[in-house]
Structure formats: structure tokens, C-alpha cells
Amino acid sequence: MSAKARAEESENALSSVPFAHASEEEFARILDFYDVAWRYEPRSFPLREEEGRVVEAFTPDFYLPDLELYIELTTLKQSLVTEKHRKLRLFQERYPDIQIKLLHRSDYLSLLAKYGFGPFSEVEVAGIHEVLISASELERRVGELGAQISRDYKGKEPLLVGVLRGVICFMADLMRHISLPLAIDFMAISSYEGEQGEAVRIVKDLEEPLASRHIIIVEDIVDTGMTLNTLLQGLQLRRPASLKVCALLDKRARRLVDMPIDYVGFEIPDEFVVGYGLDFRQKFRNLPFIATLKRDWLQTQAQTKQSPE
Ligand code: IMP
């Protein structure tokens, strides 16, 4: 079977499995990529009975038949992990001959960082620390945002204004989830040291007129809010019918200028992130997920001179 046919078959199989979490789907994708056979939640094991009735059972997430191994992912909230450990202890007492492995959140994230690179799967990408938002989580959330925008703008024809360059992946995916007629345009912004500290200026302006149109500014990430603030002020002067903002990532902890963001993909902690369009010195834009960088790697980079772009 050709690689393309295999990928299609795997995609079809994946879409028919009712995964409870995006992380499980992501894990199945990695197993598929490496040709490891798997079954999702193939059986439940009774853990406790009362008066002949099963009152507690355990259903491991995956079974890998070639390895005769069950896998349980614990990428959920920390509060649920203790409960999982308790169940697992009961399971091991009752079924000592069955192999099961608990994959902790940190194991899972380093697995993704190592093997979930998509186009980079054969290459080690120096600098990546952890996957913060996986490709399937992005896909799901961007789909939800598109559906919400389609509902909110029903009967209208919005103009999506993307802020280059980090927005390209998000814009390309988002617009395909908006089931309305729409137009797109792009702006580019550059920041510089102004008289009153850091300031931003437009280096590529829009080609579309804005007057009386419904504008949605599409941003990759809102950090201090300086860029967005300047944009909103400038675009408001062009008298659009409405002006809203859709940002994939919101690093709220670093906000200096407060402003409403109408659609937010994910709120993220105060960490520098790359991938899915976002870069560090023009690198990492083509990673299919959002990841954090290793601190020691960043420090070494800071010591080396920035290469000319
Ligand atoms: P703001 O003006 O501080 O809100 O910054 C917005 C711009 O800074 C974004 O459009 C990005 O280009 C860049 N930026 C901020 N944080 C990050 C990050 O964590 N990774 C990559 N780029 C970032």
C-alpha cells in the first residue's frame, strides 16, 4: 500500500473512533505514523464487586496487541491523577499478569515533542521543550471559532484582516471553517523604539477599503496588546460597520494595554511559544503544533548574534 493510501486509511480509521480527549487522538496518530497497531478502549476490567454486581471498573485507553500492552494516558487535570493511580493499583492487584503502562502528562508531552513533528518526524528540532497545544487541539478549537463566527455573522460578509506573518496558519485554517462569503486582506506591523518607549507602525497596509464593512482582525497572539491597540485605533478611523478581534492565543499575564478580544482560541501562560505560524527568529513556523522552547537553548541563542533575515 502506498504511503498516501496508508495515511488516508489511518485518517478514516481515526475519524471513526469516539476519542474522549484530543490528546488520545494525537497519541493514536503517532502510533499510526510508526505503524504500531492499537485499539481504543477495547475492554473494561471489573475492579470491585458487591453482591455479585460490578460496582467499579477500569477501561484503559489503549491496547497495543503486538506488545500485549495496555496504555492509560493521564494528561487530564492533576486532581484526577490521584484517582487514576488508585484505580491502577487495584487493577494491578487483580490482574498481575496484564501489562499496563501509565503515561503521565510530562511523558506524553515529551513524546509529542520527539515524535509528533509531522514534517520533521525524522529530524530532531533543537530548542523545542514541550508541546503546549497539539495539532488536533488546534484543529478542534479553530473549527469551533469558525463555527461561532459563522453563527455571529450570519447574513453578513466579513472581511478578515490578518496580521503578518505569524497568522498565516491560523488564518488559512480559520477561513475554511467559516461557512459564509468572506474576503481576506493582510497587514504587516513593525515595532521600533519610539520617543515614549516601544511603538508600532504599519509597514504593509491593507488593499481593501474598510468603510461600512464588518472587519475581524485575526491575530496569532496578543501579548502586551500594543500591536492590537495601534491597529484598532488606526482601523477605527476608516469607519468600518463593525470591528472585532479574533486571536488564536492570549498571553493575558503580560497585557499592558487592556482591550476586549471577541474570540480567543486559547489563553496561555507567560512563555515564549513557537509553531503553527509563530516564530523565534524566523524558525519553527512550520511546526504543526504550538510549543515552548527550552530555557537553556534560548539563553544560548541570546548570546549568539541574531542572524540577518
Ligand atoms: P504585542 O504587541 O506585545 O501584543 O505582541 C504581538 C506580537 O508579538 C505578535 O503578533 C507576535 O508576532 C509577537 N509575539 C508575542 N509573543 C510571542 C510568542 O510567544 N511567540 C512568538 N511571537 C510572539
Side-chain angles (χ1 to χ4, degrees):
M1 196 187 287
S2 73
K4 186 164 178 275
R6 224 183 52 194
E8 274 168 11
E9 189 182 274
S10 141
E11 217 28 69
N12 290 340
L14 281 169
S15 60
S16 63
V17 178
F19 292 108
H21 296 279
S23 53
E24 294 168 352
E25 187 173 339
E26 199 69 39
F27 184 66
R29 256 181 231 279
I30 296 175
L31 294 174
D32 275 350
F33 187 85
Y34 288 94
D35 257 342
V36 179
W38 56 270
R39 284 186 222 133
Y40 181 64
E41 296 192 340
R43 67 175 273 206
S44 289
F45 294 87
L47 291 184
R48 211 157 46 82
E49 279 107 359
E50 275 172 19
E51 295 166 7
R53 268 188 34 241
V54 176
V55 290
E56 189 173 9
F58 182 53
T59 312
D61 296 322
F62 286 90
Y63 179 59
L64 313 184
D66 297 340
L67 305 174
E68 294 183 11
L69 174 69
Y70 284 88
I71 302 274
E72 178 66 9
L73 299 182
T74 56
T75 59
L76 306 164
K77 291 190 195 110
Q78 192 54 39
S79 56
L80 299 176
V81 172
T82 323
E83 169 62 7
K84 226 168 222 189
H85 276 127
R86 185 190 65 81
K87 278 198 162 185
L88 206 77
R89 260 199 314 278
L90 271 179
F91 177 91
Q92 282 165 329
E93 276 164 30
R94 257 194 100 156
Y95 306 95
D97 297 334
I98 294 186
Q99 280 196 80
I100 184 157
K101 183 160 172 44
L102 198 63
L103 212 61
H104 289 280
R105 186 169 170 80
S106 56
D107 299 334
Y108 168 74
L109 290 177
S110 47
L111 188 85
L112 267 193
K114 224 167 173 176
Y115 301 109
F117 284 106
F120 293 102
S121 55
E122 302 291 319
V123 184
E124 195 191 330
V125 180
I128 294 295
H129 171 52
E130 253 187 18
V131 173
L132 196 63
I133 308 169
S134 70
S136 10
E137 285 169 323
L138 284 165
E139 201 177 305
R140 274 192 199 191
R141 185 70 190 121
V142 174
E144 285 169 6
L145 288 174
Q148 199 184 336
I149 291 173
S150 309
R151 285 194 298 274
D152 294 354
Y153 284 80
K154 196 161 181 234
K156 300 190 179 109
E157 195 171 327
L159 169 63
L160 308 186
V161 169
V163 186
L164 291 172
R165 288 174 241 178
V167 82
I168 52 153
C169 296
F170 180 40
M171 180 72 132
D173 287 343
L174 180 69
M175 64 190 238
R176 283 178 288 178
H177 285 286
I178 300 178
S179 51
L180 298 171
L182 56 77
I184 60 166
D185 204 349
F186 292 95
M187 299 182 88
I189 298 283
S190 129
S191 53
Y192 64 102
E193 221 26 71
E195 280 170 15
Q196 289 152 7
E198 183 114 355
V200 288
R201 81 167 154 247
I202 295 173
V203 291
K204 184 215 167 290
D205 205 345
L206 297 171
E207 283 159 42
E208 293 286 316
L210 300 196
S212 310
R213 295 175 81 176
H214 295 284
I215 313 301
I216 306 175
I217 301 183
V218 185
E219 268 271 29
D220 49 357
I221 182 165
V222 182
D223 186 19
T224 62
M226 298 276 290
T227 312
L228 191 56
N229 190 44
T230 309
L231 270 179
L232 281 171
Q233 284 176 6
L235 299 188
Q236 200 72 63
L237 297 175
R238 303 184 195 181
R239 310 232 166 269
S242 66
L243 184 57
K244 289 199 172 179
V245 178
C246 175
L248 177 68
L249 306 174
D250 182 2
K251 228 193 259 181
R252 204 159 290 175
R254 283 186 31 100
R255 197 61 43 77
L256 295 178
V257 196
D258 206 19
M259 87 239 354
I261 306 178
D262 306 276
Y263 304 96
V264 175
F266 303 87
E267 201 175 313
I268 60 162
D270 180 10
E271 296 244 25
F272 195 84
V273 293
V274 294
Y276 196 62
L278 287 114
D279 75 311
F280 172 75
R281 297 185 186 169
Q282 298 307 324
K283 281 200 179 124
F284 306 114
R285 290 198 198 271
N286 51 343
L287 293 179
F289 46 67
I290 303 275
T292 54
L293 293 173
K294 290 180 187 148
R295 279 175 207 274
D296 53 351
W297 184 85
L298 267 174
Q299 270 159 13
T300 347
Q301 293 298 306
Q303 283 151 16
T304 59
K305 252 176 70 193
Q306 184 166 354
S307 57
E309 280 163 21

